[in-house]
């Protein structure tokens, strides 16, 4: 029995075939039934993020799909800047997020890692079956920002004007704060 079965739902569906043997001119033989389980094609969702250098990703991968023996996901990475991203294991539970420490030591520009994620059902032995479409999730890794500040000499009763600079050109701009050590009580 040949045919193409399509499951557009998010759960396994069952089709039952009844086969009845018959010889020409004779009565029908005993019918037998066989069942075909049609697994869904698992789609996943996930949202990219921006993190600081030296911190972990926390990509929450989700699906609304189920399979007869469960559903899992895996990922591959594109990490052209060498930030420390690695491909995922063969089968990850949807309750487990993608967590990897990424380091951007450029001190100037954010760098991007792309995670390509796809979900799948698993067979009775835990192997990948019925892979769904892949999605790409971008993670931007901000560098540790370095600043320079020029000291100065001023006269009493003059205001300071300390020039603070950075070569950083990132996704969200740079803010900075300062503290003052004024042991002589000059009013800083």
């Amino acid at each position: 029995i040949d045919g193409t079965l399509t499951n557009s739902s998010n759960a396994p569906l069952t089709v039952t075939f009844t086969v009845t043997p018959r010889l020409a001119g004779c009565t029908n033989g005993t019918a037998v039934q066989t069942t075909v389980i049609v697994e869904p094609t698992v789609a996943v969702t996930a949202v990219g993020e921006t993190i600081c250098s030296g911190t972990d990703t926390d990509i929450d991968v989700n699906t609304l799909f189920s399979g007869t023996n469960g559903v899992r996901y895996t990922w591959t990475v594109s990490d052209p800047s060498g930030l420390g991203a690695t491909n995922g294991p063969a089968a990850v539970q949807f309750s487990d997020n993608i967590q990897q420490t990424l380091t951007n030591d450029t001190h100037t520009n954010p760098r991007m890692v792309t995670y390509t994620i796809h979900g799948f059902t698993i067979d009775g032995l835990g192997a990948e079956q019925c892979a769904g479409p892949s999605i790409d999730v971008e993670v931007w890794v901000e560098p540790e920002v370095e600043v320079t500040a020029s000291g100065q000499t001023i006269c009493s009763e003059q205001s300071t004007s300390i020039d603070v600079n950075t070569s950083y050109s990132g996704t969200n701009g740079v803010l900075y704060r300062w503290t003052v050590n004024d042991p002589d009580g000059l009013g800083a």
Side-chain angles (χ1 to χ4, degrees):
I1 302 173
D2 292 326
T4 300
L5 303 176
T6 303
N7 180 352
S8 300
S9 77
N10 63 357
L13 297 176
T14 303
V15 176
T16 302
F17 291 88
T18 303
V19 180
T20 306
R22 182 173 183 196
L23 293 174
C26 299
T27 60
N28 290 342
T30 304
V32 294
Q33 289 187 336
T34 187
T35 301
V36 175
I37 299 171
V38 183
E39 298 285 355
T41 301
V42 179
V44 299
T45 59
V47 177
E49 60 189 0
T50 299
I51 64 172
C52 297
S53 180
T55 62
D56 288 349
T57 61
D58 193 22
I59 303 170
D60 186 16
V61 182
N62 294 290
T63 190
L64 297 174
F65 291 75
S66 63
T68 304
N69 296 301
V71 291
R72 303 285 186 272
Y73 75 95
T74 191
W75 71 88
T76 57
V77 295
S78 172
D79 184 6
S81 298
L83 304 179
T86 58
N87 293 336
V92 179
Q93 298 273 2
F94 277 94
S95 58
D96 296 336
N97 293 355
I98 299 174
Q99 295 181 322
Q100 297 184 327
T101 303
L102 303 180
T103 303
N104 177 356
D105 57 7
T106 65
H107 300 292
T108 56
N109 298 313
R111 298 285 190 242
M112 184 180 67
V113 172
T114 302
Y115 289 83
T116 301
I117 305 166
H118 77 272
F120 51 88
T121 60
I122 55 173
D123 67 16
L125 300 174
E128 180 177 328
Q129 177 182 5
C130 304
S134 296
I135 62 168
D136 287 340
V137 175
E138 296 177 348
V139 175
W140 284 95
V141 183
E142 297 284 359
E144 182 178 317
V145 178
E146 291 181 340
V147 297
T148 58
S150 58
Q152 62 186 148
T153 301
I154 62 171
C155 296
S156 182
E157 302 295 321
Q158 282 186 319
S159 297
T160 60
S161 180
I162 301 170
D163 191 20
V164 178
N165 293 296
T166 183
S167 58
Y168 171 78
S169 60
T171 56
N172 297 317
V174 176
L175 299 174
Y176 62 90
R177 63 179 171 186
W178 66 92
T179 60
V180 176
N181 181 7
D182 184 8
D184 297 319
L186 297 175

